[in-house]
Amino acid sequence: MRTKITQHLAIIIAIGFLFNFQSYAQENDAENYRIRFGLSTKKQPDNSRVLEASFVGTHKKDRKDRVPVYNADINFYNVTEEGDLLLGTVKTDQEGTAQLTMPGNQKYITNDEGYINFKAVFDGTDDLDGEESELAVKDILMELNLEVIDSVRTVIINAFTLDSLNTKIPIEDAAIKVAVGGYISNMPIQEGTIEGGEFQFKFPANISGDKNGNIDVIASILDSDEFGNVVQKKNINWGVNKKIEIESNKLWSSAAPIWMYIVLSILLIGVWANYVYSIINLMNIRKEGKELDLKIKK
Amino acid sequence: MDTNSRKRELVKEFSPMLVKSSFLSSVWILTLIAIIAVGLYAFYLQLTQGHEITGMRDNVVWGVYIINFIFFVGLSYSGAFISGILHFFKTPWKNSVTRIVEIMTILSIIVGPIFILLCIGRLDRLYYLFLYPRIQSPITWDIIAIITDIFGCFLYLYLTFIPDFAILRDNTDLKLPNWRKKLYTFLAINYQDTESQRERLHKITSIMSKMIIAMAIVAYTVLAWIFSLTLQPGWNSTIFAPDFIFSGLYSGVGVIIIAMFIIRKYYKLEKYIIHSHFVMAGYVLLVLSLLFGYFTFSDYFAKWFSHKPADIYLLNTLFGHYFWQFILANYIGVIVPLFFLSIKKIRTIKSITFAALIAVCGLWLNRYLVVVPTLESPYIPIQDTRLEFMHYNATWIEWSLSFAGIAAFILFFLLIMRLVPVISMSEIIQHERHLETKQDASLKK
């Protein structure tokens, strides 16, 4: 009896495990969210600079619950000793991101150490407090050279800053990643550190390119405290040029090989014919039984 | 032998399981229905909210559902295979086991494919598979194989049930509701157990039994090809198909032993399902555990020896993140059954059943390790993917649907056993008839 009670208890407990009593209801009250307002910058291959402000609320208890702040006016400034120079105003999108792209020839005011100070400001509304975030980066010039040196395909990256007299000052100790462009995401091929303003390595021989063998080589300095994000890109004919031959009658062609249709048909006809044969025999059994029934009744 | 009176005796003997419903069985049925109901609720949530509420993501696109699918379909194929073998070789001790095997075969081929439907993100586009099939795709082969197999299994099961339906139709002692009598009359298709009817039925059952052995091998091979014809690490192996067949048989025999143990105990069938049935099934399980161990070792050994980076990464994952699961599936799941089944002194009904239980659990875990770690180890490194997207953890939705599948399997097993006796009456009579003929022949000599 005790064993049976234990068995039944075990079953009830097991069923209990199937239920989830956790609530999924979201409480969208602003007080429950911690507002995160951040500013980042990326220098693009054409020397234009993207200033990006991210404006997102994160639930205090559940950090996975993120609510972007949409349609908020963000002002971007170049901060100088004389005052803040407005660079532009952009509204946040559905991801809570506001992006301002400054042209490559844009002049910025730097401080004594050569840093450009940027500031993103949200003035605030009745429901949300004002926010601001600052960022200081040095303007960097990055050159990506793809050269064949002694028959070796070599990637050479030179990076430097300019002082007030436009003298090139090589940068030191900056982490760099080099990747090749892909359809969905970029594929990393080399990581390293720029020393003395230079980083170079041998380009791998087995990277696939497009139908003409063209490939995008992308060099990036990412999340640097000194330079922010800097990207340089070049297209070159260094990829493996694989010609796509259209083959017929293969597994991967649009129509299956003839032999496959034949084998499949033989198998299926064999099996289903046997089913039909069995059903016919069952009908005969039924017929015979019916006749026997009639005979007995007579 | 007076066949008619013997038929009456057998019906009387098996009538408790056909008519009576104990309190315990009602509780069980209600419990199973409750589990299925929770599963249906989980299915509703999945259907309305999408696969986001499961653990499946961009990397691991297959999870517990596909594992259950492989497991149940494996049970079905092994059931078909074993049933065919028992009929084909006219095994003398088969009468007590065949029906359990046949019911398992048909139910698992019904429950299994439901899990593959749960994997499909856009069920509303399911008919595209039939409208625009690619004949060269293993998925199309699998659909064809499963549909053909379901039909074949139903037909085969029905053929073996007809004589018992006829016995139940003709019996007047059994107090059955009218609908059941009508059902038996309809399903018995005027079978009167005449010589010619018997011969005809025997002929087609015999052909079907041979055919479903071949079908089981072909269909499970096709299922294995869905994995092994890809270049994924861990799947792209030439021995994947035979490995699948033997592991399917291993789990199938395990489930048969567990079912035999429960049915024997619950329905008090000690007279029919005897110690030697367990021992024979135990021998089969012993051989299969060795074969399963051999194939598993060969597969992983070749991967380790070839030293391909992707395979090594997979092996590191298996021996790292999945260490205990790997040990339980591939060591405990083989060594424990081997230990209990190979030593004669400890080869009792309970120990054989325990060994079978370990084998079945180990095998399920093995299927998990075949599917999930491989999908977590893609060839191309994926950037900008969160860790929770790369690694798979089944949610309660998936677990409750899995338990619902198992509950449905057991519930239908119970319901079929209420419709026809779990021991084939016609087979017993046939066996006794055969013995009598043999005795007569020896007396004449």
Side-chain angles (χ1 to χ4, degrees), chain B residues 273-292:
Chain B
I273 305 174
I274 55 175
H275 180 255
S276 65
H277 285 122
F278 283 89
V279 174
M280 296 304 271
Y283 284 148
V284 179
L285 195 69
L286 176 69
V287 174
L288 287 170
S289 71
L290 287 167
L291 282 167
F292 170 68

Side-chain angles (χ1 to χ4, degrees), chain B residues 275-389:
Chain B
H275 180 255
S276 65
H277 285 122
F278 283 89
V279 174
M280 296 304 271
Y283 284 148
V284 179
L285 195 69
L286 176 69
V287 174
L288 287 170
S289 71
L290 287 167
L291 282 167
F292 170 68
Y294 166 72
F295 272 99
T296 308
F297 175 76
S298 300
D299 196 21
Y300 286 122
F301 180 71
K303 281 180 181 54
W304 174 78
F305 203 84
S306 67
H307 232 81
K308 287 184 207 157
D311 283 346
I312 293 302
Y313 179 76
L314 177 69
L315 286 178
N316 287 340
T317 310
L318 288 170
F319 280 101
H321 185 69
Y322 290 102
F323 180 79
W324 285 111
Q325 289 96 318
F326 191 82
I327 296 294
L328 285 170
N330 299 320
Y331 287 77
I332 307 292
V334 175
I335 294 167
V336 170
L338 212 60
F339 173 77
F340 281 104
L341 300 170
S342 54
I343 301 169
K344 197 180 175 184
K345 275 188 182 173
I346 55 169
R347 212 184 289 138
T348 60
I349 290 176
K350 276 185 182 170
S351 72
I352 292 169
T353 311
F354 177 71
L357 191 67
I358 295 292
V360 171
C361 295
L363 216 286
W364 190 92
L365 211 51
N366 175 278
R367 304 290 87 176
Y368 188 94
L369 295 178
V370 163
V371 175
V372 175
T374 288
L375 290 172
E376 287 178 345
S377 325
Y379 272 119
I380 301 172
I382 295 177
Q383 289 178 299
D384 307 327
T385 305
R386 292 181 222 166
L387 268 181
E388 63 262 32
F389 285 9

Side-chain angles (χ1 to χ4, degrees), chain A residues 259-276:
Chain A
W259 65 261
M260 192 170 277
Y261 285 108
I262 295 169
V263 171
L264 204 64
S265 304
I266 291 171
L267 280 173
L268 285 175
I269 290 169
V271 174
W272 284 91
N274 186 62
Y275 292 168
V276 173

Side-chain angles (χ1 to χ4, degrees), chain A residues 97-219:
Chain A
T97 305
Q99 275 192 352
L100 178 69
T101 306
M102 304 304 296
N105 56 4
Q106 172 76 32
K107 301 287 178 204
Y108 303 98
I109 311 287
T110 58
N111 64 13
D112 296 341
E113 291 169 356
Y115 280 94
I116 313 168
N117 284 302
F118 291 113
K119 186 164 77 174
V121 177
F122 169 63
D123 290 333
T125 62
D126 295 343
D127 299 322
L128 282 172
D129 295 335
E131 301 281 347
E132 68 172 57
S133 180
E134 284 198 41
L135 180 74
V137 290
K138 276 186 181 172
D139 195 25
I140 184 176
L141 293 168
M142 188 156 71
E143 290 170 357
L144 174 64
N145 299 306
L146 306 170
E147 294 172 16
V148 179
I149 303 170
D150 296 334
S151 308
V152 177
R153 289 170 171 176
T154 311
V155 179
I156 305 166
I157 295 152
N158 296 108
F160 49 86
T161 53
L162 296 174
D163 65 6
S164 54
L165 300 169
N166 272 353
T167 313
K168 288 181 179 179
I169 303 165
I171 67 162
E172 295 290 343
D173 213 21
I176 184 140
K177 287 181 180 176
V178 183
V180 290
Y183 185 67
I184 297 168
S185 61
N186 298 336
M187 187 174 78
I189 52 170
Q190 190 76 30
E191 284 184 25
T193 311
I194 300 174
E195 300 287 355
E198 191 179 286
F199 176 71
Q200 71 171 52
F201 67 95
K202 184 184 158 192
F203 188 81
N206 55 352
I207 304 286
S208 299
D210 64 8
K211 62 179 180 181
N212 299 316
N214 290 331
I215 207 161
D216 278 335
V217 181
I218 302 154

